[in-house]
Amino acid sequence: MNLEIEGLFWRRGIQNIVGVDEAGRGPIAGPVVAAAVVFAGGRLIDGVDDSKKLSEKKREELFDEITKHALSIGVGVVDHNEIDRINILQASLKAMEGALKELTVTPGIVLADGNSFKHDRFLYENIIDGDAKSFTIAAASIIAKVTRDRLMKEL
């Protein structure tokens, strides 16, 4: 994983590049969890990749590294009742919005995994398979997956 996609925006003078991704869109039970992650420009953590490609142990290790080095992290959770009420796509988008609201910095741009994210206040870019292409989105995928896994273990 490299910073090629983020570099495109840094070269345009955009700072606070936020990656967002969700976990829990496929499972039949539990909440959908989204994470938003932003790093200081140029920060790269070795091993960060799409959370689905990593073992549970590696995700846990990287979760700690991401948490330690991120400029800001936000997490949004939408429970199963809300998913049933508004549908999984809308719940995923709501969780992403919740994650963005938790950030302590204002996004310069939001890089979102997939093709459905929209925002009326922030510049954004949807990236299909973004968790496999963007370091920042991959970091968000790890935070979302580990957070959801921990919630499911508690339940």
Side-chain angles (χ1 to χ4, degrees):
M1 186 67 55
N2 61 43
L3 295 168
E4 183 177 338
I5 290 175
E6 290 79 357
L8 297 172
F9 298 100
W10 285 323
R11 286 190 289 282
R12 291 174 36 200
I14 298 172
Q15 298 300 310
N16 293 340
I17 297 171
V18 176
V20 295
D21 197 11
E22 50 69 30
R25 212 169 146 180
I28 193 136
V32 63
V33 176
V37 178
V38 59
F39 293 94
R43 168 63 76 176
L44 187 66
I45 298 170
D46 191 45
V48 168
D49 202 345
D50 176 355
S51 64
K52 295 180 291 298
K53 296 179 182 177
L54 303 170
S55 68
E56 181 179 3
K57 180 181 181 205
K58 187 65 175 175
R59 284 192 303 265
E60 287 285 344
E61 291 170 5
L62 289 167
F63 180 96
D64 292 340
E65 285 296 304
I66 293 164
T67 302
K68 184 166 130 182
H69 295 291
L71 191 57
S72 185
I73 295 174
V75 174
V77 180
V78 175
D79 71 22
H80 65 283
N81 291 320
E82 186 76 354
I83 293 168
D84 290 345
R85 191 177 74 71
I86 64 175
N87 81 42
I88 190 61
L89 173 60
Q90 294 309 312
S92 296
L93 296 172
K94 185 174 182 176
M96 288 179 178
E97 180 66 29
L100 289 170
K101 286 179 181 176
E102 294 293 314
L103 293 174
T104 59
V105 298
T106 301
I109 189 168
V110 177
L111 304 181
D113 184 44
N115 62 359
S116 301
F117 181 82
K118 291 180 176 55
H119 207 281
D120 58 0
R121 231 179 49 177
F122 303 131
L123 183 63
Y124 66 90
E125 184 84 24
N126 286 308
I127 302 172
I128 295 172
D129 294 325
D131 49 3
K133 297 175 181 174
S134 160
F135 167 75
T136 311
I137 296 173
S141 81
I142 292 166
I143 296 295
K145 174 74 172 132
V146 171
T147 301
R148 185 179 189 282
D149 286 352
R150 289 176 180 178
L151 286 171
M152 292 303 292
K153 285 178 184 174
E154 284 178 25
L155 294 174

